[in-house]
Short mmCIF file of all heavy atoms in Angstrom, two decimals:
data_model
loop_
_atom_site.label_atom_id
_atom_site.label_comp_id
_atom_site.label_asym_id
_atom_site.label_seq_id
_atom_site.Cartn_x
_atom_site.Cartn_y
_atom_site.Cartn_z
N MET Z 1 -53.47 11.46 -19.27
CA MET Z 1 -53.53 11.02 -17.90
C MET Z 1 -53.91 12.22 -17.01
O MET Z 1 -53.47 13.34 -17.23
CB MET Z 1 -52.18 10.45 -17.46
CG MET Z 1 -52.16 10.01 -16.03
SD MET Z 1 -50.56 9.27 -15.64
CE MET Z 1 -50.96 8.61 -14.06
N SER Z 2 -54.70 11.98 -15.98
CA SER Z 2 -55.08 13.02 -15.04
C SER Z 2 -53.90 13.41 -14.17
O SER Z 2 -52.95 12.64 -14.00
CB SER Z 2 -56.21 12.54 -14.14
OG SER Z 2 -57.36 12.29 -14.89
N SER Z 3 -53.97 14.61 -13.61
CA SER Z 3 -52.91 15.06 -12.73
C SER Z 3 -53.51 15.73 -11.49
O SER Z 3 -54.71 15.93 -11.40
CB SER Z 3 -51.97 16.02 -13.46
OG SER Z 3 -52.69 17.15 -13.89
N ILE Z 4 -52.64 16.05 -10.55
CA ILE Z 4 -53.02 16.68 -9.29
C ILE Z 4 -52.31 18.03 -9.23
O ILE Z 4 -51.11 18.11 -9.52
CB ILE Z 4 -52.53 15.84 -8.09
CG1 ILE Z 4 -53.06 14.42 -8.16
CG2 ILE Z 4 -52.88 16.51 -6.78
CD1 ILE Z 4 -52.34 13.47 -7.23
N LYS Z 5 -53.00 19.06 -8.82
CA LYS Z 5 -52.38 20.37 -8.58
C LYS Z 5 -51.77 20.31 -7.18
O LYS Z 5 -52.48 20.19 -6.19
CB LYS Z 5 -53.43 21.47 -8.67
CG LYS Z 5 -52.93 22.84 -8.27
CD LYS Z 5 -52.01 23.42 -9.30
CE LYS Z 5 -51.88 24.91 -8.99
NZ LYS Z 5 -50.57 25.39 -9.18
N LEU Z 6 -50.45 20.36 -7.09
CA LEU Z 6 -49.75 20.30 -5.81
C LEU Z 6 -49.19 21.66 -5.46
O LEU Z 6 -48.43 22.24 -6.25
CB LEU Z 6 -48.60 19.28 -5.87
CG LEU Z 6 -47.69 19.20 -4.64
CD1 LEU Z 6 -48.48 18.75 -3.41
CD2 LEU Z 6 -46.53 18.25 -4.91
N ASP Z 7 -49.59 22.19 -4.32
CA ASP Z 7 -49.06 23.44 -3.79
C ASP Z 7 -48.45 23.15 -2.43
O ASP Z 7 -49.14 22.63 -1.55
CB ASP Z 7 -50.16 24.50 -3.62
CG ASP Z 7 -50.73 24.96 -4.94
OD1 ASP Z 7 -49.94 25.16 -5.88
OD2 ASP Z 7 -51.95 25.13 -5.03
N ILE Z 8 -47.18 23.47 -2.26
CA ILE Z 8 -46.53 23.35 -0.97
C ILE Z 8 -46.28 24.77 -0.48
O ILE Z 8 -45.57 25.55 -1.14
CB ILE Z 8 -45.21 22.56 -1.06
CG1 ILE Z 8 -45.50 21.16 -1.60
CG2 ILE Z 8 -44.52 22.51 0.29
CD1 ILE Z 8 -44.28 20.31 -1.84
N VAL Z 9 -46.89 25.09 0.66
CA VAL Z 9 -46.90 26.46 1.15
C VAL Z 9 -46.35 26.53 2.56
O VAL Z 9 -46.71 25.71 3.41
CB VAL Z 9 -48.36 27.01 1.13
CG1 VAL Z 9 -48.40 28.44 1.59
CG2 VAL Z 9 -48.98 26.86 -0.24
N THR Z 10 -45.47 27.51 2.82
CA THR Z 10 -45.00 27.79 4.17
C THR Z 10 -45.67 29.07 4.64
O THR Z 10 -46.41 29.70 3.88
CB THR Z 10 -43.46 27.97 4.21
OG1 THR Z 10 -43.12 29.17 3.51
CG2 THR Z 10 -42.74 26.79 3.59
N ALA Z 11 -45.37 29.49 5.84
CA ALA Z 11 -45.92 30.74 6.36
C ALA Z 11 -45.41 31.94 5.56
O ALA Z 11 -46.07 32.97 5.48
CB ALA Z 11 -45.57 30.91 7.83
N GLU Z 12 -44.24 31.80 4.94
CA GLU Z 12 -43.63 32.91 4.21
C GLU Z 12 -43.96 32.96 2.72
O GLU Z 12 -44.07 34.03 2.14
CB GLU Z 12 -42.10 32.88 4.36
CG GLU Z 12 -41.60 33.17 5.75
CD GLU Z 12 -41.64 31.96 6.66
OE1 GLU Z 12 -41.55 30.82 6.14
OE2 GLU Z 12 -41.81 32.13 7.87
N ARG Z 13 -44.10 31.76 2.08
CA ARG Z 13 -44.26 31.78 0.62
C ARG Z 13 -44.70 30.42 0.09
O ARG Z 13 -44.71 29.43 0.81
CB ARG Z 13 -42.95 32.18 -0.04
CG ARG Z 13 -41.83 31.18 0.18
CD ARG Z 13 -40.50 31.69 -0.38
NE ARG Z 13 -39.43 30.77 -0.08
CZ ARG Z 13 -38.97 29.85 -0.91
NH1 ARG Z 13 -39.48 29.71 -2.11
NH2 ARG Z 13 -37.98 29.05 -0.56
N VAL Z 14 -45.01 30.41 -1.19
CA VAL Z 14 -45.27 29.16 -1.90
C VAL Z 14 -43.92 28.59 -2.30
O VAL Z 14 -43.13 29.23 -3.00
CB VAL Z 14 -46.14 29.39 -3.17
CG1 VAL Z 14 -46.30 28.11 -3.95
CG2 VAL Z 14 -47.50 29.96 -2.78
N VAL Z 15 -43.63 27.37 -1.83
CA VAL Z 15 -42.34 26.74 -2.08
C VAL Z 15 -42.36 25.96 -3.40
O VAL Z 15 -41.38 25.92 -4.12
CB VAL Z 15 -41.98 25.79 -0.92
CG1 VAL Z 15 -40.70 25.02 -1.19
CG2 VAL Z 15 -41.88 26.56 0.38
N TYR Z 16 -43.50 25.34 -3.71
CA TYR Z 16 -43.62 24.52 -4.92
C TYR Z 16 -45.06 24.57 -5.39
O TYR Z 16 -45.98 24.50 -4.58
CB TYR Z 16 -43.23 23.06 -4.59
CG TYR Z 16 -43.27 22.13 -5.77
CD1 TYR Z 16 -42.18 22.00 -6.62
CD2 TYR Z 16 -44.41 21.38 -6.06
CE1 TYR Z 16 -42.22 21.15 -7.71
CE2 TYR Z 16 -44.45 20.53 -7.14
CZ TYR Z 16 -43.36 20.42 -7.97
OH TYR Z 16 -43.41 19.58 -9.05
N SER Z 17 -45.25 24.67 -6.69
CA SER Z 17 -46.59 24.66 -7.26
C SER Z 17 -46.50 24.11 -8.68
O SER Z 17 -45.83 24.70 -9.54
CB SER Z 17 -47.18 26.07 -7.28
OG SER Z 17 -48.50 26.05 -7.79
N ASP Z 18 -47.15 22.96 -8.92
CA ASP Z 18 -47.10 22.33 -10.24
C ASP Z 18 -48.14 21.23 -10.33
O ASP Z 18 -48.71 20.82 -9.32
CB ASP Z 18 -45.71 21.75 -10.49
CG ASP Z 18 -45.40 21.60 -11.97
OD1 ASP Z 18 -46.27 21.87 -12.82
OD2 ASP Z 18 -44.25 21.20 -12.28
N GLU Z 19 -48.38 20.75 -11.52
CA GLU Z 19 -49.25 19.60 -11.77
C GLU Z 19 -48.38 18.35 -11.67
O GLU Z 19 -47.32 18.28 -12.30
CB GLU Z 19 -49.88 19.67 -13.16
CG GLU Z 19 -50.79 20.86 -13.37
CD GLU Z 19 -52.13 20.70 -12.69
OE1 GLU Z 19 -52.61 19.55 -12.58
OE2 GLU Z 19 -52.69 21.72 -12.28
N VAL Z 20 -48.80 17.36 -10.85
CA VAL Z 20 -48.03 16.14 -10.65
C VAL Z 20 -48.96 14.93 -10.82
O VAL Z 20 -50.19 15.07 -10.84
CB VAL Z 20 -47.34 16.11 -9.27
CG1 VAL Z 20 -46.39 17.29 -9.13
CG2 VAL Z 20 -48.34 16.09 -8.15
N ASP Z 21 -48.36 13.74 -10.90
CA ASP Z 21 -49.15 12.52 -11.10
C ASP Z 21 -49.50 11.82 -9.79
O ASP Z 21 -50.60 11.30 -9.64
CB ASP Z 21 -48.37 11.54 -11.99
CG ASP Z 21 -48.07 12.13 -13.35
OD1 ASP Z 21 -48.91 12.87 -13.89
OD2 ASP Z 21 -46.97 11.87 -13.87
N VAL Z 22 -48.56 11.78 -8.85
CA VAL Z 22 -48.74 11.05 -7.59
C VAL Z 22 -48.03 11.80 -6.47
O VAL Z 22 -46.95 12.35 -6.69
CB VAL Z 22 -48.14 9.62 -7.67
CG1 VAL Z 22 -48.30 8.88 -6.36
CG2 VAL Z 22 -48.75 8.83 -8.81
N VAL Z 23 -48.63 11.79 -5.28
CA VAL Z 23 -48.00 12.34 -4.08
C VAL Z 23 -48.11 11.29 -2.98
O VAL Z 23 -49.18 10.72 -2.77
CB VAL Z 23 -48.69 13.64 -3.61
CG1 VAL Z 23 -48.07 14.15 -2.32
CG2 VAL Z 23 -48.66 14.70 -4.69
N ILE Z 24 -47.01 11.02 -2.29
CA ILE Z 24 -47.03 10.15 -1.11
C ILE Z 24 -46.48 10.98 0.05
O ILE Z 24 -45.36 11.48 0.00
CB ILE Z 24 -46.21 8.87 -1.32
CG1 ILE Z 24 -46.82 8.08 -2.48
CG2 ILE Z 24 -46.18 8.05 -0.04
CD1 ILE Z 24 -46.11 6.80 -2.82
N ALA Z 25 -47.31 11.14 1.07
CA ALA Z 25 -46.99 12.03 2.18
C ALA Z 25 -46.95 11.26 3.50
O ALA Z 25 -47.69 10.30 3.70
CB ALA Z 25 -48.04 13.14 2.27
N PRO Z 26 -46.10 11.72 4.44
CA PRO Z 26 -46.00 11.06 5.74
C PRO Z 26 -47.10 11.54 6.70
O PRO Z 26 -46.93 12.53 7.42
CB PRO Z 26 -44.61 11.48 6.23
CG PRO Z 26 -44.40 12.82 5.62
CD PRO Z 26 -45.09 12.76 4.28
N GLY Z 27 -48.23 10.88 6.69
CA GLY Z 27 -49.32 11.22 7.60
C GLY Z 27 -49.01 10.81 9.03
O GLY Z 27 -48.07 10.04 9.27
N ILE Z 28 -49.78 11.30 9.96
CA ILE Z 28 -49.51 10.98 11.37
C ILE Z 28 -49.82 9.52 11.70
O ILE Z 28 -49.35 9.01 12.71
CB ILE Z 28 -50.26 11.93 12.33
CG1 ILE Z 28 -51.75 11.88 12.07
CG2 ILE Z 28 -49.72 13.34 12.23
CD1 ILE Z 28 -52.57 12.64 13.10
N GLU Z 29 -50.60 8.85 10.86
CA GLU Z 29 -50.90 7.43 11.09
C GLU Z 29 -50.31 6.53 10.01
O GLU Z 29 -50.74 5.39 9.84
CB GLU Z 29 -52.41 7.24 11.19
CG GLU Z 29 -53.01 7.93 12.39
CD GLU Z 29 -54.49 7.64 12.55
OE1 GLU Z 29 -55.02 6.75 11.86
OE2 GLU Z 29 -55.11 8.31 13.39
N GLY Z 30 -49.35 7.04 9.25
CA GLY Z 30 -48.73 6.27 8.18
C GLY Z 30 -48.70 7.06 6.89
O GLY Z 30 -49.19 8.18 6.82
N GLU Z 31 -48.11 6.46 5.87
CA GLU Z 31 -47.99 7.15 4.59
C GLU Z 31 -49.33 7.20 3.86
O GLU Z 31 -50.11 6.25 3.91
CB GLU Z 31 -46.95 6.46 3.71
CG GLU Z 31 -45.55 6.64 4.23
CD GLU Z 31 -44.51 6.18 3.24
OE1 GLU Z 31 -44.83 5.39 2.33
OE2 GLU Z 31 -43.36 6.62 3.38
N LEU Z 32 -49.56 8.32 3.16
CA LEU Z 32 -50.78 8.52 2.39
C LEU Z 32 -50.43 8.63 0.91
O LEU Z 32 -49.58 9.45 0.55
CB LEU Z 32 -51.46 9.84 2.80
CG LEU Z 32 -51.91 9.96 4.23
CD1 LEU Z 32 -52.12 11.42 4.57
CD2 LEU Z 32 -53.20 9.21 4.39
N GLY Z 33 -51.05 7.84 0.08
CA GLY Z 33 -50.87 7.93 -1.36
C GLY Z 33 -52.03 8.71 -1.95
O GLY Z 33 -53.18 8.36 -1.75
N ILE Z 34 -51.73 9.78 -2.67
CA ILE Z 34 -52.75 10.62 -3.28
C ILE Z 34 -52.62 10.53 -4.80
O ILE Z 34 -51.58 10.85 -5.37
CB ILE Z 34 -52.61 12.10 -2.84
CG1 ILE Z 34 -52.49 12.21 -1.32
CG2 ILE Z 34 -53.74 12.93 -3.40
CD1 ILE Z 34 -53.70 11.75 -0.55
N LEU Z 35 -53.68 10.07 -5.43
CA LEU Z 35 -53.77 9.97 -6.88
C LEU Z 35 -54.86 10.92 -7.38
O LEU Z 35 -55.68 11.39 -6.58
CB LEU Z 35 -54.11 8.53 -7.28
CG LEU Z 35 -53.09 7.46 -6.92
CD1 LEU Z 35 -53.70 6.09 -7.09
CD2 LEU Z 35 -51.85 7.61 -7.78
N PRO Z 36 -54.91 11.18 -8.70
CA PRO Z 36 -56.00 12.02 -9.22
C PRO Z 36 -57.36 11.45 -8.82
O PRO Z 36 -57.53 10.23 -8.71
CB PRO Z 36 -55.80 11.94 -10.73
CG PRO Z 36 -54.33 11.71 -10.89
CD PRO Z 36 -53.96 10.80 -9.73
N HIS Z 37 -58.31 12.32 -8.56
CA HIS Z 37 -59.69 11.99 -8.18
C HIS Z 37 -59.80 11.38 -6.79
O HIS Z 37 -60.78 10.70 -6.48
CB HIS Z 37 -60.35 11.07 -9.22
CG HIS Z 37 -60.20 11.56 -10.62
ND1 HIS Z 37 -60.79 12.73 -11.06
CD2 HIS Z 37 -59.50 11.08 -11.66
CE1 HIS Z 37 -60.47 12.91 -12.33
NE2 HIS Z 37 -59.69 11.93 -12.72
N HIS Z 38 -58.80 11.62 -5.93
CA HIS Z 38 -58.84 11.14 -4.55
C HIS Z 38 -60.00 11.82 -3.82
O HIS Z 38 -60.34 12.96 -4.10
CB HIS Z 38 -57.52 11.46 -3.85
CG HIS Z 38 -57.32 10.76 -2.55
ND1 HIS Z 38 -57.96 11.13 -1.40
CD2 HIS Z 38 -56.53 9.70 -2.22
CE1 HIS Z 38 -57.59 10.34 -0.42
NE2 HIS Z 38 -56.72 9.46 -0.88
N ALA Z 39 -60.59 11.14 -2.87
CA ALA Z 39 -61.66 11.72 -2.06
C ALA Z 39 -61.13 12.90 -1.25
O ALA Z 39 -59.96 12.90 -0.85
CB ALA Z 39 -62.23 10.66 -1.11
N PRO Z 40 -61.96 13.92 -1.00
CA PRO Z 40 -61.52 15.05 -0.17
C PRO Z 40 -61.03 14.55 1.19
O PRO Z 40 -61.58 13.60 1.75
CB PRO Z 40 -62.78 15.89 -0.04
CG PRO Z 40 -63.57 15.57 -1.26
CD PRO Z 40 -63.31 14.11 -1.52
N LEU Z 41 -59.99 15.21 1.70
CA LEU Z 41 -59.33 14.75 2.91
C LEU Z 41 -58.57 15.91 3.53
O LEU Z 41 -58.04 16.76 2.82
CB LEU Z 41 -58.33 13.64 2.52
CG LEU Z 41 -57.27 13.21 3.50
CD1 LEU Z 41 -57.89 12.41 4.63
CD2 LEU Z 41 -56.21 12.38 2.79
N MET Z 42 -58.50 15.93 4.85
CA MET Z 42 -57.62 16.86 5.56
C MET Z 42 -57.00 16.09 6.72
O MET Z 42 -57.71 15.45 7.49
CB MET Z 42 -58.36 18.08 6.06
CG MET Z 42 -57.46 19.08 6.75
SD MET Z 42 -58.28 20.61 7.06
CE MET Z 42 -57.32 21.66 6.00
N THR Z 43 -55.67 16.14 6.83
CA THR Z 43 -54.97 15.42 7.89
C THR Z 43 -53.67 16.13 8.24
O THR Z 43 -53.17 16.93 7.45
CB THR Z 43 -54.69 13.96 7.47
OG1 THR Z 43 -54.19 13.24 8.59
CG2 THR Z 43 -53.71 13.88 6.33
N MET Z 44 -53.14 15.81 9.39
CA MET Z 44 -51.84 16.35 9.80
C MET Z 44 -50.73 15.50 9.20
O MET Z 44 -50.91 14.31 8.95
CB MET Z 44 -51.74 16.36 11.32
CG MET Z 44 -52.70 17.34 11.96
SD MET Z 44 -52.60 17.35 13.76
CE MET Z 44 -50.92 17.88 14.00
N LEU Z 45 -49.58 16.14 8.98
CA LEU Z 45 -48.39 15.46 8.48
C LEU Z 45 -47.32 15.47 9.56
O LEU Z 45 -47.23 16.40 10.35
CB LEU Z 45 -47.86 16.16 7.23
CG LEU Z 45 -48.78 16.17 6.02
CD1 LEU Z 45 -48.15 17.02 4.92
CD2 LEU Z 45 -49.06 14.77 5.53
N GLN Z 46 -46.52 14.42 9.56
CA GLN Z 46 -45.38 14.37 10.46
C GLN Z 46 -44.11 14.68 9.67
O GLN Z 46 -44.12 14.60 8.44
CB GLN Z 46 -45.30 13.01 11.14
CG GLN Z 46 -45.02 11.85 10.22
CD GLN Z 46 -44.99 10.55 10.98
OE1 GLN Z 46 -45.01 10.50 12.18
NE2 GLN Z 46 -44.93 9.46 10.23
N PRO Z 47 -43.03 15.01 10.34
CA PRO Z 47 -41.78 15.24 9.62
C PRO Z 47 -41.37 14.00 8.84
O PRO Z 47 -41.58 12.87 9.28
CB PRO Z 47 -40.78 15.53 10.75
CG PRO Z 47 -41.62 16.03 11.87
CD PRO Z 47 -42.91 15.26 11.77
N GLY Z 48 -40.83 14.22 7.66
CA GLY Z 48 -40.40 13.10 6.82
C GLY Z 48 -40.22 13.52 5.39
O GLY Z 48 -39.97 14.69 5.09
N GLU Z 49 -40.37 12.55 4.49
CA GLU Z 49 -40.16 12.78 3.06
C GLU Z 49 -41.49 12.80 2.33
O GLU Z 49 -42.31 11.89 2.50
CB GLU Z 49 -39.27 11.69 2.47
CG GLU Z 49 -37.87 11.67 3.05
CD GLU Z 49 -37.05 10.52 2.52
OE1 GLU Z 49 -37.63 9.49 2.11
OE2 GLU Z 49 -35.83 10.65 2.54
N LEU Z 50 -41.68 13.81 1.51
CA LEU Z 50 -42.84 13.90 0.62
C LEU Z 50 -42.36 13.44 -0.74
O LEU Z 50 -41.45 14.03 -1.33
CB LEU Z 50 -43.34 15.34 0.57
CG LEU Z 50 -44.60 15.57 -0.26
CD1 LEU Z 50 -45.81 15.12 0.55
CD2 LEU Z 50 -44.73 17.02 -0.64
N TRP Z 51 -42.93 12.36 -1.25
CA TRP Z 51 -42.51 11.75 -2.50
C TRP Z 51 -43.45 12.22 -3.60
O TRP Z 51 -44.68 12.18 -3.43
CB TRP Z 51 -42.57 10.24 -2.33
CG TRP Z 51 -42.12 9.42 -3.49
CD1 TRP Z 51 -40.84 9.07 -3.79
CD2 TRP Z 51 -42.95 8.83 -4.48
NE1 TRP Z 51 -40.82 8.30 -4.91
CE2 TRP Z 51 -42.12 8.13 -5.37
CE3 TRP Z 51 -44.33 8.83 -4.73
CZ2 TRP Z 51 -42.61 7.45 -6.46
CZ3 TRP Z 51 -44.81 8.14 -5.82
CH2 TRP Z 51 -43.95 7.46 -6.67
N VAL Z 52 -42.90 12.67 -4.73
CA VAL Z 52 -43.70 13.22 -5.83
C VAL Z 52 -43.26 12.57 -7.13
O VAL Z 52 -42.06 12.41 -7.38
CB VAL Z 52 -43.53 14.75 -5.93
CG1 VAL Z 52 -44.33 15.31 -7.08
CG2 VAL Z 52 -43.92 15.43 -4.63
N ARG Z 53 -44.23 12.21 -7.99
CA ARG Z 53 -43.94 11.71 -9.33
C ARG Z 53 -44.59 12.65 -10.34
O ARG Z 53 -45.78 12.94 -10.24
CB ARG Z 53 -44.45 10.31 -9.55
CG ARG Z 53 -44.09 9.81 -10.96
CD ARG Z 53 -44.67 8.48 -11.34
NE ARG Z 53 -44.44 7.50 -10.30
CZ ARG Z 53 -45.17 6.39 -10.19
NH1 ARG Z 53 -46.14 6.14 -11.02
NH2 ARG Z 53 -44.91 5.54 -9.22
N LYS Z 54 -43.79 13.10 -11.31
CA LYS Z 54 -44.30 13.93 -12.39
C LYS Z 54 -43.71 13.40 -13.69
O LYS Z 54 -42.49 13.41 -13.86
CB LYS Z 54 -43.91 15.39 -12.20
CG LYS Z 54 -44.40 16.27 -13.31
CD LYS Z 54 -44.03 17.71 -13.11
CE LYS Z 54 -44.56 18.47 -14.31
NZ LYS Z 54 -44.14 19.85 -14.30
N GLY Z 55 -44.58 12.92 -14.58
CA GLY Z 55 -44.09 12.30 -15.79
C GLY Z 55 -43.31 11.06 -15.42
O GLY Z 55 -43.74 10.25 -14.61
N GLY Z 56 -42.12 10.91 -15.94
CA GLY Z 56 -41.27 9.78 -15.60
C GLY Z 56 -40.30 10.08 -14.48
O GLY Z 56 -39.49 9.24 -14.13
N GLU Z 57 -40.36 11.28 -13.92
CA GLU Z 57 -39.42 11.67 -12.88
C GLU Z 57 -40.03 11.55 -11.49
O GLU Z 57 -41.21 11.81 -11.30
CB GLU Z 57 -38.97 13.12 -13.10
CG GLU Z 57 -38.24 13.34 -14.40
CD GLU Z 57 -37.79 14.78 -14.54
OE1 GLU Z 57 -37.58 15.46 -13.52
OE2 GLU Z 57 -37.66 15.22 -15.69
N GLU Z 58 -39.21 11.18 -10.53
CA GLU Z 58 -39.62 11.09 -9.13
C GLU Z 58 -38.64 11.91 -8.30
O GLU Z 58 -37.45 11.92 -8.59
CB GLU Z 58 -39.61 9.64 -8.65
CG GLU Z 58 -40.55 8.76 -9.42
CD GLU Z 58 -40.43 7.30 -9.05
OE1 GLU Z 58 -39.53 6.95 -8.26
OE2 GLU Z 58 -41.22 6.51 -9.55
N PHE Z 59 -39.14 12.60 -7.29
CA PHE Z 59 -38.25 13.34 -6.40
C PHE Z 59 -38.84 13.38 -5.00
O PHE Z 59 -40.02 13.17 -4.80
CB PHE Z 59 -37.93 14.74 -6.94
CG PHE Z 59 -39.14 15.60 -7.18
CD1 PHE Z 59 -39.56 16.50 -6.22
CD2 PHE Z 59 -39.82 15.55 -8.39
CE1 PHE Z 59 -40.67 17.31 -6.44
CE2 PHE Z 59 -40.92 16.35 -8.62
CZ PHE Z 59 -41.35 17.24 -7.64
N LEU Z 60 -37.96 13.63 -4.04
CA LEU Z 60 -38.34 13.70 -2.63
C LEU Z 60 -38.12 15.11 -2.12
O LEU Z 60 -37.18 15.79 -2.49
CB LEU Z 60 -37.47 12.75 -1.79
CG LEU Z 60 -37.60 11.27 -2.10
CD1 LEU Z 60 -36.55 10.49 -1.33
CD2 LEU Z 60 -38.98 10.78 -1.75
N LEU Z 61 -39.03 15.54 -1.24
CA LEU Z 61 -38.90 16.82 -0.56
C LEU Z 61 -38.95 16.55 0.94
O LEU Z 61 -39.81 15.80 1.40
CB LEU Z 61 -40.05 17.76 -0.95
CG LEU Z 61 -40.15 18.11 -2.42
CD1 LEU Z 61 -41.49 18.75 -2.72
CD2 LEU Z 61 -39.03 19.05 -2.80
N ALA Z 62 -38.06 17.15 1.69
CA ALA Z 62 -38.09 17.00 3.15
C ALA Z 62 -39.11 17.99 3.71
O ALA Z 62 -39.13 19.16 3.34
CB ALA Z 62 -36.72 17.29 3.73
N ILE Z 63 -39.98 17.49 4.60
CA ILE Z 63 -40.95 18.37 5.25
C ILE Z 63 -40.81 18.22 6.77
O ILE Z 63 -40.39 17.18 7.26
CB ILE Z 63 -42.41 18.10 4.80
CG1 ILE Z 63 -42.84 16.68 5.14
CG2 ILE Z 63 -42.56 18.37 3.31
CD1 ILE Z 63 -44.32 16.45 4.96
N SER Z 64 -41.19 19.26 7.47
CA SER Z 64 -41.06 19.24 8.93
C SER Z 64 -42.40 19.09 9.62
O SER Z 64 -42.52 19.33 10.81
CB SER Z 64 -40.37 20.51 9.41
OG SER Z 64 -41.13 21.65 9.05
N GLY Z 65 -43.42 18.69 8.88
CA GLY Z 65 -44.76 18.54 9.43
C GLY Z 65 -45.72 19.49 8.72
O GLY Z 65 -45.42 20.01 7.66
N GLY Z 66 -46.89 19.68 9.32
CA GLY Z 66 -47.88 20.55 8.71
C GLY Z 66 -49.19 19.81 8.53
O GLY Z 66 -49.52 18.91 9.29
N PHE Z 67 -49.91 20.17 7.47
CA PHE Z 67 -51.14 19.45 7.17
C PHE Z 67 -51.31 19.30 5.67
O PHE Z 67 -50.67 19.99 4.88
CB PHE Z 67 -52.35 20.14 7.80
CG PHE Z 67 -52.71 21.46 7.20
CD1 PHE Z 67 -53.63 21.54 6.17
CD2 PHE Z 67 -52.15 22.63 7.67
CE1 PHE Z 67 -53.96 22.76 5.61
CE2 PHE Z 67 -52.47 23.85 7.12
CZ PHE Z 67 -53.39 23.93 6.08
N LEU Z 68 -52.15 18.34 5.30
CA LEU Z 68 -52.43 18.02 3.91
C LEU Z 68 -53.92 18.19 3.69
O LEU Z 68 -54.73 17.68 4.48
CB LEU Z 68 -52.02 16.57 3.62
CG LEU Z 68 -52.46 15.99 2.28
CD1 LEU Z 68 -51.56 16.52 1.18
CD2 LEU Z 68 -52.41 14.48 2.32
N GLU Z 69 -54.26 18.90 2.62
CA GLU Z 69 -55.67 19.04 2.25
C GLU Z 69 -55.83 18.60 0.81
O GLU Z 69 -55.12 19.06 -0.08
CB GLU Z 69 -56.11 20.50 2.38
CG GLU Z 69 -57.55 20.72 2.02
CD GLU Z 69 -57.99 22.17 2.14
OE1 GLU Z 69 -57.14 23.06 2.21
OE2 GLU Z 69 -59.21 22.39 2.15
N VAL Z 70 -56.75 17.66 0.59
CA VAL Z 70 -57.09 17.20 -0.76
C VAL Z 70 -58.48 17.74 -1.05
O VAL Z 70 -59.42 17.48 -0.30
CB VAL Z 70 -57.08 15.65 -0.86
CG1 VAL Z 70 -57.49 15.21 -2.25
CG2 VAL Z 70 -55.72 15.09 -0.48
N ARG Z 71 -58.59 18.50 -2.13
CA ARG Z 71 -59.89 19.07 -2.52
C ARG Z 71 -60.30 18.51 -3.88
O ARG Z 71 -59.43 18.14 -4.67
CB ARG Z 71 -59.79 20.59 -2.59
CG ARG Z 71 -59.49 21.20 -1.23
CD ARG Z 71 -59.52 22.68 -1.27
NE ARG Z 71 -58.46 23.20 -2.13
CZ ARG Z 71 -58.26 24.48 -2.39
NH1 ARG Z 71 -59.04 25.39 -1.88
NH2 ARG Z 71 -57.27 24.87 -3.15
N PRO Z 72 -61.61 18.49 -4.15
CA PRO Z 72 -62.06 17.98 -5.45
C PRO Z 72 -61.54 18.83 -6.60
O PRO Z 72 -61.22 19.95 -6.45
CB PRO Z 72 -63.58 18.06 -5.39
CG PRO Z 72 -63.95 18.56 -4.04
CD PRO Z 72 -62.71 18.92 -3.31
#
């Protein structure tokens, strides 16, 4: 199965970096589902929960906003 390279970065450091299967992020106009081979995208994020699935495990990360960039 394909995966996505997910990097969560703050001004100070890289908080999380791993290969994951699915990311659901709180975009400013609603939730965004990112799967492997998603079209390139850049958008702002609002505070909320970032949902991640890796293998059979799912977990949530609290975010305070920022932006999301999807690259090929």
Side-chain angles (χ1 to χ4, degrees):
M1 179 177 190
S2 295
S3 61
I4 303 165
K5 173 73 165 140
L6 174 63
D7 293 319
I8 300 176
V9 182
T10 68
E12 292 82 28
R13 65 186 176 97
V14 175
V15 175
Y16 182 86
S17 182
D18 203 356
E19 297 284 329
V20 301
D21 300 323
V22 179
V23 177
I24 298 179
I28 58 172
E29 295 185 11
E31 291 190 340
L32 299 161
I34 310 297
L35 297 167
H37 311 294
H38 193 284
L41 165 73
M42 182 170 245
T43 189
M44 293 179 62
L45 297 175
Q46 65 181 352
E49 297 176 335
L50 183 78
W51 182 84
V52 179
R53 181 186 311 159
K54 179 180 179 186
E57 298 181 27
E58 299 174 354
F59 57 95
L60 297 172
L61 299 166
I63 61 169
S64 61
F67 69 92
L68 169 78
E69 180 180 16
V70 178
R71 296 185 296 178

